Amino acid sequence: MLGGVGSDGIITLASSVKEVPGVGPRRAAALLELGIKTIGQLIQHLPMRHERLEAESRIEDVVAGANSSARGTVTATRVVRKGKQGRFEAVLVDDTGRLDLVWFNATYLHDKIKPGMRLLVQGKPTQFGPLLRMTNPSHEVLPELGDEPAARQERLRPVYPASAAINSRQIEEAVAAALPRVMPLLHDHLPEGFRKQRELPALADAYRSVHLPGSEAEITAGFRRLAYDELLMLQLALALKRSWTRRTSKAPMLRWTKAVDTHIRERFPFELTEAQDGVIKEIVADLQRDEPMNRLMQGDVGSGKTVVALYAMLMAAAGGQQAAIMAPTETLAEQHLRTIGAMMKGSGVRLELLTGSLTAAERAGIKKGLADGSAHLVVGTHALLSEGVQFKDLAVVVIDEQHKFGVHQRMALREKGAGGTTPHVLVMTATPIPRTVAMTVFGDLDVSVIDKLPPGRKKMITRVVGYEKTADVYGYVRQRIDGGEQAYVVAPAIDAKVDEELWEDAGELPDTEATKAPPLSLAETRDIPPAPPGSGGEKKLPRPVNVAEVLARLEAGELKGKRLGVVHGRMNAAARDAVMSAFRAGKIDVLVATTVIEVGVDVPNATVMVVEDSDRFGLATLHQLRGRVGRGGKGGLCVLLARDTTMRSSARLAVMAETSDGFKVAQRDVEVRGFGDVIGVRQSGMPQFKVVDLSRDMDLLGQARRDAHKWIEGSPMLEKPEEKLLRQRMLKQHGKWLGLADVG
Ligand code: ADP
Ligand code: MG
């Protein structure tokens, strides 16, 4: 191992924290529990905030109303009880005067602070008659006279994430002892010229500034440097991956002519919208190049992504090549088959379906067609990824609903290209991806957006309603059913275990919201006190109703006499499909379901949706769900039933009623749940940001992205000698999740 402790106490970043003076086995064990083993890790354990320590003054110089600090001898103490609680009082005296101290609800201090002790206190005193009194001051017991530390200078003290076994002060001591010794070892991976241009401090200075700050400005500059680094590393990794993929893989160049275009469009039963045409233009440009397309198509539910994808697929078919579209569920795959099949009817294009539930014989037949090239288009599930599936000439791959798949599946389908070529990949998602996420997690993709819905859509309305109105809500549902329409009722999952998952998915623990300022300044939210830390904050809401209960309740009550069906994730595919077909055929009036219907299910006659216990769902999920209704020309209604409409959660739900714009909902979701919980982020495997806070560092993200692109343009593999450290650190952080192993 490097370093170790020699007689001169030489330590390195890789040395154990045990070698820091003052860190014994106990503290080392406590640090280990915080994930800190080496000195390098200790240095990277950053303060969450800083508190200002006032310079010490003599008691006679302490004035009311000003934050101040003083030391003296305790001359008297007492406890004053009041009911169960009580306050503790002490008198502090120095040569110049007297200061009264009082701590409320702190009778335990009686055992800690005794007459005769030396004490250093800080607080804001108030005038109390002739006396000056500090309420709830912070305090430090000083060692015996003669052994006392020097008078405190004004300074900013870092406050670290700590634990019961080791407190922030102890961590502070360890860092303060270690940092000066390893400062020279904190080599900067950024060239000096570049760093100066960006007005960033050197790496070692940045660490010193946040751990041992001289001023607020230093803290800001230090954190800015560390945040920039975090963003730059990520953006470099993304840019490098992208440029590497482009250079090392050849994609089939597809031919586009006016005739091809006309031919394809003849298949569509409608004129494409301007928004669709815009995206097609971008895709066509990509497909004509020999670099593989890697594009994300975003478009709200119902925006018409399918035909755009089909356009790309038909460009492959037009040249006698193949295209595949992969859906996250069988239901969705079958739906694509129907839609695409209807448009391809009577053409020479052969379309196949490949899912897990085919018989071995069926599967063999389809696989043969794909391998010999007689099948042109294939719709499938992840079954497409399985070993034995081979294509003769796969040119275009479409992946529907990205967030249900990971980056790795995207790569896996890629490999299916024939003869050393890499197919073009188009990923489509109805989950509006906020800019922050698009620029990070999906940062290696180009992005196209279908930003307008096809014409003739009626407005979709969303209402948040309390449970006391349940009868009215279902009364209205009955009316719509009597008018020949159909409805969905969505409820949380079917059993306790699934409830847990759902709960996690909903991601709305009260304490998360309490710690973030509510982004919408709704009057109702303002009076709710934040949950006290570690107390009831994590407490769960009452158990939500589940699908089975809702079904039973509706059958016996509100929807008695109507034809109800149920689908949920625990049913086998055949049973579920049977119910879905019956619903599509109008043999069922109301489909009671879990979020399995979130994605893609398309029944135009279903115009009403009621979401039970809607507080339990994430906003992105609710947005997806409501996209199921109002797909026909009739205009949809989505009712979000909430337990307690005065709760903070309903303020969160209010955004659903305010806007039908998926991007706004997504942005709100990020604000409420935090970046890490947004759909796609966790699945991606991207490491959590340590310093970066995207609600604060958005401009830094843009800067880092521009810098990274320019950098990689000039040095595609980061192979210059002066880039060695940068490359090493970048690969260490991002090599794995981005699959940069081959690069490294
Ligand atoms: P998405 O997958 O983006 O949610 P779809 O591709 O399923 O949306 O399209 C939603 C509905 O809109 C479908 O019924 C489709 O036939 C229809 N549609 C798509 N594009 C147009 C258009 N340009 N004009 C009219 N209807 C369209
Ligand atoms: Mg779709």
Side-chain angles (χ1 to χ4, degrees), residues 459-478:
K459 209 170 145 57
M460 134 110 231
I461 294 167
T462 301
R463 292 262 176 279
V464 183
V465 173
Y467 263 89
E468 70 281 359
K469 301 242 176 69
T470 312
D472 295 348
V473 168
Y474 283 104
Y476 183 73
V477 172
R478 291 187 77 98

PDB file of all heavy atoms in Angstrom, residues 459-478:
ATOM      1  N   LYS A 459     -60.194  18.721 -25.470  1.00  0.00           N
ATOM      2  CA  LYS A 459     -59.387  18.994 -24.298  1.00  0.00           C
ATOM      3  C   LYS A 459     -59.606  17.912 -23.248  1.00  0.00           C
ATOM      4  O   LYS A 459     -60.694  17.378 -23.084  1.00  0.00           O
ATOM      5  CB  LYS A 459     -59.793  20.341 -23.715  1.00  0.00           C
ATOM      6  CG  LYS A 459     -58.657  21.030 -23.012  1.00  0.00           C
ATOM      7  CD  LYS A 459     -59.091  22.463 -22.686  1.00  0.00           C
ATOM      8  CE  LYS A 459     -58.501  22.932 -21.377  1.00  0.00           C
ATOM      9  NZ  LYS A 459     -57.081  22.911 -21.247  1.00  0.00           N
ATOM     10  N   MET A 460     -58.526  17.613 -22.598  1.00  0.00           N
ATOM     11  CA  MET A 460     -58.633  16.614 -21.549  1.00  0.00           C
ATOM     12  C   MET A 460     -58.640  17.335 -20.202  1.00  0.00           C
ATOM     13  O   MET A 460     -57.891  18.279 -19.985  1.00  0.00           O
ATOM     14  CB  MET A 460     -57.438  15.692 -21.763  1.00  0.00           C
ATOM     15  CG  MET A 460     -56.650  15.310 -20.590  1.00  0.00           C
ATOM     16  SD  MET A 460     -57.022  13.582 -20.382  1.00  0.00           S
ATOM     17  CE  MET A 460     -57.436  13.631 -18.689  1.00  0.00           C
ATOM     18  N   ILE A 461     -59.540  16.940 -19.359  1.00  0.00           N
ATOM     19  CA  ILE A 461     -59.701  17.648 -18.087  1.00  0.00           C
ATOM     20  C   ILE A 461     -59.293  16.754 -16.920  1.00  0.00           C
ATOM     21  O   ILE A 461     -59.624  15.566 -16.893  1.00  0.00           O
ATOM     22  CB  ILE A 461     -61.170  18.097 -17.918  1.00  0.00           C
ATOM     23  CG1 ILE A 461     -61.503  19.140 -18.993  1.00  0.00           C
ATOM     24  CG2 ILE A 461     -61.431  18.667 -16.527  1.00  0.00           C
ATOM     25  CD1 ILE A 461     -62.968  19.432 -19.129  1.00  0.00           C
ATOM     26  N   THR A 462     -58.587  17.330 -15.986  1.00  0.00           N
ATOM     27  CA  THR A 462     -58.201  16.586 -14.789  1.00  0.00           C
ATOM     28  C   THR A 462     -58.727  17.316 -13.561  1.00  0.00           C
ATOM     29  O   THR A 462     -58.613  18.530 -13.470  1.00  0.00           O
ATOM     30  CB  THR A 462     -56.666  16.466 -14.679  1.00  0.00           C
ATOM     31  OG1 THR A 462     -56.169  15.809 -15.844  1.00  0.00           O
ATOM     32  CG2 THR A 462     -56.271  15.661 -13.447  1.00  0.00           C
ATOM     33  N   ARG A 463     -59.328  16.579 -12.646  1.00  0.00           N
ATOM     34  CA  ARG A 463     -59.834  17.162 -11.408  1.00  0.00           C
ATOM     35  C   ARG A 463     -59.313  16.395 -10.204  1.00  0.00           C
ATOM     36  O   ARG A 463     -59.271  15.168 -10.236  1.00  0.00           O
ATOM     37  CB  ARG A 463     -61.362  17.079 -11.367  1.00  0.00           C
ATOM     38  CG  ARG A 463     -62.061  17.946 -12.375  1.00  0.00           C
ATOM     39  CD  ARG A 463     -62.515  19.264 -11.751  1.00  0.00           C
ATOM     40  NE  ARG A 463     -63.103  20.125 -12.757  1.00  0.00           N
ATOM     41  CZ  ARG A 463     -62.406  20.887 -13.604  1.00  0.00           C
ATOM     42  NH1 ARG A 463     -61.093  20.889 -13.552  1.00  0.00           N
ATOM     43  NH2 ARG A 463     -63.009  21.618 -14.515  1.00  0.00           N
ATOM     44  N   VAL A 464     -58.944  17.133  -9.176  1.00  0.00           N
ATOM     45  CA  VAL A 464     -58.570  16.491  -7.916  1.00  0.00           C
ATOM     46  C   VAL A 464     -59.767  16.589  -6.980  1.00  0.00           C
ATOM     47  O   VAL A 464     -60.277  17.678  -6.739  1.00  0.00           O
ATOM     48  CB  VAL A 464     -57.354  17.184  -7.264  1.00  0.00           C
ATOM     49  CG1 VAL A 464     -56.937  16.453  -5.992  1.00  0.00           C
ATOM     50  CG2 VAL A 464     -56.199  17.265  -8.244  1.00  0.00           C
ATOM     51  N   VAL A 465     -60.233  15.455  -6.481  1.00  0.00           N
ATOM     52  CA  VAL A 465     -61.484  15.429  -5.721  1.00  0.00           C
ATOM     53  C   VAL A 465     -61.292  14.619  -4.438  1.00  0.00           C
ATOM     54  O   VAL A 465     -60.615  13.596  -4.440  1.00  0.00           O
ATOM     55  CB  VAL A 465     -62.598  14.791  -6.599  1.00  0.00           C
ATOM     56  CG1 VAL A 465     -63.863  14.577  -5.792  1.00  0.00           C
ATOM     57  CG2 VAL A 465     -62.880  15.649  -7.824  1.00  0.00           C
ATOM     58  N   GLY A 466     -61.902  15.090  -3.360  1.00  0.00           N
ATOM     59  CA  GLY A 466     -61.804  14.377  -2.089  1.00  0.00           C
ATOM     60  C   GLY A 466     -62.738  13.169  -2.046  1.00  0.00           C
ATOM     61  O   GLY A 466     -63.711  13.102  -2.806  1.00  0.00           O
ATOM     62  N   TYR A 467     -62.431  12.240  -1.157  1.00  0.00           N
ATOM     63  CA  TYR A 467     -63.224  11.016  -1.093  1.00  0.00           C
ATOM     64  C   TYR A 467     -64.681  11.239  -0.710  1.00  0.00           C
ATOM     65  O   TYR A 467     -65.541  10.420  -1.013  1.00  0.00           O
ATOM     66  CB  TYR A 467     -62.557   9.995  -0.161  1.00  0.00           C
ATOM     67  CG  TYR A 467     -61.733   9.000  -0.936  1.00  0.00           C
ATOM     68  CD1 TYR A 467     -60.406   9.254  -1.225  1.00  0.00           C
ATOM     69  CD2 TYR A 467     -62.308   7.834  -1.434  1.00  0.00           C
ATOM     70  CE1 TYR A 467     -59.652   8.367  -1.975  1.00  0.00           C
ATOM     71  CE2 TYR A 467     -61.570   6.934  -2.183  1.00  0.00           C
ATOM     72  CZ  TYR A 467     -60.236   7.209  -2.455  1.00  0.00           C
ATOM     73  OH  TYR A 467     -59.514   6.325  -3.207  1.00  0.00           O
ATOM     74  N   GLU A 468     -64.963  12.367  -0.066  1.00  0.00           N
ATOM     75  CA  GLU A 468     -66.363  12.608   0.307  1.00  0.00           C
ATOM     76  C   GLU A 468     -67.249  12.768  -0.929  1.00  0.00           C
ATOM     77  O   GLU A 468     -68.463  12.629  -0.858  1.00  0.00           O
ATOM     78  CB  GLU A 468     -66.464  13.827   1.238  1.00  0.00           C
ATOM     79  CG  GLU A 468     -66.195  15.184   0.599  1.00  0.00           C
ATOM     80  CD  GLU A 468     -64.703  15.501   0.391  1.00  0.00           C
ATOM     81  OE1 GLU A 468     -63.856  14.656   0.768  1.00  0.00           O
ATOM     82  OE2 GLU A 468     -64.390  16.574  -0.158  1.00  0.00           O
ATOM     83  N   LYS A 469     -66.618  12.998  -2.088  1.00  0.00           N
ATOM     84  CA  LYS A 469     -67.409  13.162  -3.309  1.00  0.00           C
ATOM     85  C   LYS A 469     -67.467  11.883  -4.149  1.00  0.00           C
ATOM     86  O   LYS A 469     -67.912  11.922  -5.300  1.00  0.00           O
ATOM     87  CB  LYS A 469     -66.800  14.281  -4.175  1.00  0.00           C
ATOM     88  CG  LYS A 469     -66.727  15.634  -3.497  1.00  0.00           C
ATOM     89  CD  LYS A 469     -67.564  16.668  -4.249  1.00  0.00           C
ATOM     90  CE  LYS A 469     -67.592  18.007  -3.561  1.00  0.00           C
ATOM     91  NZ  LYS A 469     -66.294  18.675  -3.613  1.00  0.00           N
ATOM     92  N   THR A 470     -67.030  10.776  -3.563  1.00  0.00           N
ATOM     93  CA  THR A 470     -66.955   9.527  -4.320  1.00  0.00           C
ATOM     94  C   THR A 470     -68.265   9.206  -5.038  1.00  0.00           C
ATOM     95  O   THR A 470     -68.274   8.829  -6.207  1.00  0.00           O
ATOM     96  CB  THR A 470     -66.614   8.347  -3.383  1.00  0.00           C
ATOM     97  OG1 THR A 470     -65.524   8.747  -2.576  1.00  0.00           O
ATOM     98  CG2 THR A 470     -66.229   7.114  -4.163  1.00  0.00           C
ATOM     99  N   ALA A 471     -69.387   9.391  -4.331  1.00  0.00           N
ATOM    100  CA  ALA A 471     -70.679   9.032  -4.914  1.00  0.00           C
ATOM    101  C   ALA A 471     -70.954   9.861  -6.171  1.00  0.00           C
ATOM    102  O   ALA A 471     -71.385   9.317  -7.197  1.00  0.00           O
ATOM    103  CB  ALA A 471     -71.782   9.237  -3.878  1.00  0.00           C
ATOM    104  N   ASP A 472     -70.667  11.143  -6.099  1.00  0.00           N
ATOM    105  CA  ASP A 472     -70.874  12.002  -7.274  1.00  0.00           C
ATOM    106  C   ASP A 472     -70.010  11.557  -8.443  1.00  0.00           C
ATOM    107  O   ASP A 472     -70.461  11.492  -9.585  1.00  0.00           O
ATOM    108  CB  ASP A 472     -70.492  13.462  -6.964  1.00  0.00           C
ATOM    109  CG  ASP A 472     -71.407  14.062  -5.909  1.00  0.00           C
ATOM    110  OD1 ASP A 472     -72.441  13.424  -5.614  1.00  0.00           O
ATOM    111  OD2 ASP A 472     -71.072  15.140  -5.392  1.00  0.00           O
ATOM    112  N   VAL A 473     -68.758  11.268  -8.113  1.00  0.00           N
ATOM    113  CA  VAL A 473     -67.810  10.888  -9.160  1.00  0.00           C
ATOM    114  C   VAL A 473     -68.307   9.650  -9.901  1.00  0.00           C
ATOM    115  O   VAL A 473     -68.399   9.639 -11.126  1.00  0.00           O
ATOM    116  CB  VAL A 473     -66.408  10.621  -8.559  1.00  0.00           C
ATOM    117  CG1 VAL A 473     -65.494   9.948  -9.584  1.00  0.00           C
ATOM    118  CG2 VAL A 473     -65.792  11.924  -8.067  1.00  0.00           C
ATOM    119  N   TYR A 474     -68.677   8.626  -9.118  1.00  0.00           N
ATOM    120  CA  TYR A 474     -69.103   7.394  -9.786  1.00  0.00           C
ATOM    121  C   TYR A 474     -70.491   7.532 -10.405  1.00  0.00           C
ATOM    122  O   TYR A 474     -70.813   6.858 -11.381  1.00  0.00           O
ATOM    123  CB  TYR A 474     -68.996   6.193  -8.841  1.00  0.00           C
ATOM    124  CG  TYR A 474     -67.549   5.752  -8.699  1.00  0.00           C
ATOM    125  CD1 TYR A 474     -66.817   6.045  -7.560  1.00  0.00           C
ATOM    126  CD2 TYR A 474     -66.921   5.069  -9.743  1.00  0.00           C
ATOM    127  CE1 TYR A 474     -65.482   5.655  -7.448  1.00  0.00           C
ATOM    128  CE2 TYR A 474     -65.592   4.679  -9.643  1.00  0.00           C
ATOM    129  CZ  TYR A 474     -64.881   4.977  -8.489  1.00  0.00           C
ATOM    130  OH  TYR A 474     -63.566   4.593  -8.402  1.00  0.00           O
ATOM    131  N   GLY A 475     -71.280   8.427  -9.859  1.00  0.00           N
ATOM    132  CA  GLY A 475     -72.569   8.721 -10.492  1.00  0.00           C
ATOM    133  C   GLY A 475     -72.336   9.229 -11.911  1.00  0.00           C
ATOM    134  O   GLY A 475     -73.008   8.828 -12.870  1.00  0.00           O
ATOM    135  N   TYR A 476     -71.344  10.099 -12.028  1.00  0.00           N
ATOM    136  CA  TYR A 476     -71.011  10.642 -13.337  1.00  0.00           C
ATOM    137  C   TYR A 476     -70.453   9.565 -14.264  1.00  0.00           C
ATOM    138  O   TYR A 476     -70.796   9.505 -15.442  1.00  0.00           O
ATOM    139  CB  TYR A 476     -70.009  11.792 -13.170  1.00  0.00           C
ATOM    140  CG  TYR A 476     -69.659  12.452 -14.466  1.00  0.00           C
ATOM    141  CD1 TYR A 476     -70.584  13.281 -15.119  1.00  0.00           C
ATOM    142  CD2 TYR A 476     -68.430  12.228 -15.068  1.00  0.00           C
ATOM    143  CE1 TYR A 476     -70.281  13.873 -16.324  1.00  0.00           C
ATOM    144  CE2 TYR A 476     -68.107  12.825 -16.280  1.00  0.00           C
ATOM    145  CZ  TYR A 476     -69.034  13.645 -16.908  1.00  0.00           C
ATOM    146  OH  TYR A 476     -68.733  14.219 -18.112  1.00  0.00           O
ATOM    147  N   VAL A 477     -69.630   8.696 -13.687  1.00  0.00           N
ATOM    148  CA  VAL A 477     -69.085   7.587 -14.479  1.00  0.00           C
ATOM    149  C   VAL A 477     -70.237   6.743 -15.040  1.00  0.00           C
ATOM    150  O   VAL A 477     -70.250   6.369 -16.213  1.00  0.00           O
ATOM    151  CB  VAL A 477     -68.128   6.709 -13.630  1.00  0.00           C
ATOM    152  CG1 VAL A 477     -67.720   5.446 -14.377  1.00  0.00           C
ATOM    153  CG2 VAL A 477     -66.883   7.505 -13.237  1.00  0.00           C
ATOM    154  N   ARG A 478     -71.228   6.483 -14.201  1.00  0.00           N
ATOM    155  CA  ARG A 478     -72.403   5.700 -14.656  1.00  0.00           C
ATOM    156  C   ARG A 478     -73.066   6.373 -15.858  1.00  0.00           C
ATOM    157  O   ARG A 478     -73.435   5.717 -16.827  1.00  0.00           O
ATOM    158  CB  ARG A 478     -73.442   5.571 -13.543  1.00  0.00           C
ATOM    159  CG  ARG A 478     -73.029   4.701 -12.378  1.00  0.00           C
ATOM    160  CD  ARG A 478     -74.218   4.505 -11.430  1.00  0.00           C
ATOM    161  NE  ARG A 478     -75.148   3.523 -11.978  1.00  0.00           N
ATOM    162  CZ  ARG A 478     -75.158   2.242 -11.598  1.00  0.00           C
ATOM    163  NH1 ARG A 478     -74.330   1.820 -10.665  1.00  0.00           N
ATOM    164  NH2 ARG A 478     -75.995   1.401 -12.134  1.00  0.00           N
TER     165      ARG A 478
END
